[in-house]
Amino acid sequence: MAKKIEVFQDMRIQGPLEKRSDLRLALIAAAIAPWRFDLEKSDQVARNAGTSEDVLLFRCEASTNHPAAGLTLWGIPEGYYVPNIVPMQNGSLSFSQYNAVLQSFLVCVVQPIVEKFGFEVSITKPSQDIDDWLSLNAATKLRRFSGAANKSTGASHPMDKRRWFDFIIAVHRNGEDLGSDRLARWLHEIEGWDEETAHDLAGDFENALTLLTHYDEN
């Protein structure tokens, strides 16, 4: 059984605000084959999103590892981040294809220039586990629930339900952003829960967090 699950990687470019305009021009100039900068689409995306932030859209040619794709850099005060990568044709990118496009952009466009302007690049791991998303306390409580629970009945047994609630409360208290999709995948792919029960538990998790947040606010 896999110990980690494959995920879409996140990337941020962060550095001095006064150098961001210089970085912007350098990124555009660095986009040579198999990459190119799409000015018209960049302006269109910014208009449609109704944002004043800088939006840069780059196109990448197809390779043996991925189809032709578009990558967006979205401006933030300290630099840029990649909110999404999409295929140029219909359909969607697999985790490995998405990450291959991101790696190509990093190597071909970003890495050769960022240090010149005092910027640093942070990129998340392509394969992750629950410890990458949660504190030790919350991760331990989730593993305790999953290891002890009857996987055919979910959290219906009183003791299982107590352990399940302990996990949810720990996540809420820590303000952690796990996400129901990642939780469902972890339960199913790593812990061996059947897919339907994993999604049911993830839905219950999301509803419980919403209720706890509403309680705190009222």
Side-chain angles (χ1 to χ4, degrees):
M1 186 177 295
K3 294 182 179 180
K4 294 190 175 185
I5 61 176
E6 194 173 14
V7 297
F8 296 122
Q9 290 179 272
D10 295 322
M11 187 177 79
R12 286 179 174 263
I13 307 170
Q14 297 173 288
L17 176 61
E18 65 274 12
K19 291 289 186 179
R20 200 180 83 167
S21 60
D22 295 331
L23 176 68
R24 180 185 192 276
L25 294 175
L27 287 168
I28 293 172
I32 58 177
W35 287 90
R36 66 179 177 87
F37 174 64
D38 191 332
L39 175 60
E40 181 179 354
K41 189 66 175 178
S42 299
D43 292 340
Q44 180 184 336
V45 171
R47 286 196 305 271
N48 291 343
T51 180
S52 60
E53 288 292 351
D54 192 21
V55 178
L56 306 178
L57 194 137
F58 296 84
R59 306 289 194 185
C60 181
E61 299 171 6
S63 77
T64 56
N65 295 324
H66 59 77
L71 177 149
T72 302
L73 280 182
W74 200 276
I76 52 178
E78 64 272 24
Y80 294 94
Y81 78 101
V82 178
N84 202 12
I85 302 172
V86 297
M88 300 305 299
Q89 303 298 325
N90 292 334
S92 59
L93 297 174
S94 67
F95 292 109
S96 60
Q97 290 173 333
Y98 184 105
N99 294 339
V101 175
L102 186 63
Q103 285 295 328
S104 173
F105 186 71
L106 175 65
V107 172
C108 297
V109 181
V110 177
Q111 284 182 335
I113 63 170
V114 287
E115 290 186 2
K116 299 176 184 178
F117 304 99
F119 283 77
E120 295 182 351
V121 180
S122 61
I123 186 166
T124 58
K125 294 179 289 187
S127 296
Q128 299 177 15
D129 191 13
I130 204 72
D131 299 302
D132 295 301
W133 311 322
L134 294 176
S135 64
L136 176 60
N137 178 48
T140 298
K141 291 182 184 302
L142 177 57
R143 288 193 172 97
R144 187 175 296 147
F145 159 74
S146 182
N150 183 336
K151 290 182 170 58
S152 64
T153 59
S156 60
H157 188 279
M159 291 303 297
D160 293 338
K161 189 180 294 292
R162 182 182 182 87
R163 285 186 283 265
W164 177 241
F165 287 164
D166 286 344
F167 156 65
I168 294 173
I169 291 170
V171 172
H172 176 69
R173 282 177 175 167
N174 295 335
E176 294 170 311
D177 183 20
L178 172 59
S180 58
D181 288 342
R182 286 191 296 189
L183 175 59
R185 288 191 64 203
W186 186 85
L187 288 168
H188 175 57
E189 297 177 29
I190 293 184
E191 290 293 290
W193 293 78
D194 71 80
E195 192 167 6
E196 182 178 355
T197 304
H199 280 285
D200 287 344
L201 284 169
D204 180 71
F205 166 77
E206 187 171 19
N207 290 335
L209 285 184
T210 301
L211 177 60
L212 287 171
T213 299
H214 182 73
Y215 175 81
D216 289 344
E217 293 173 348
N218 294 275

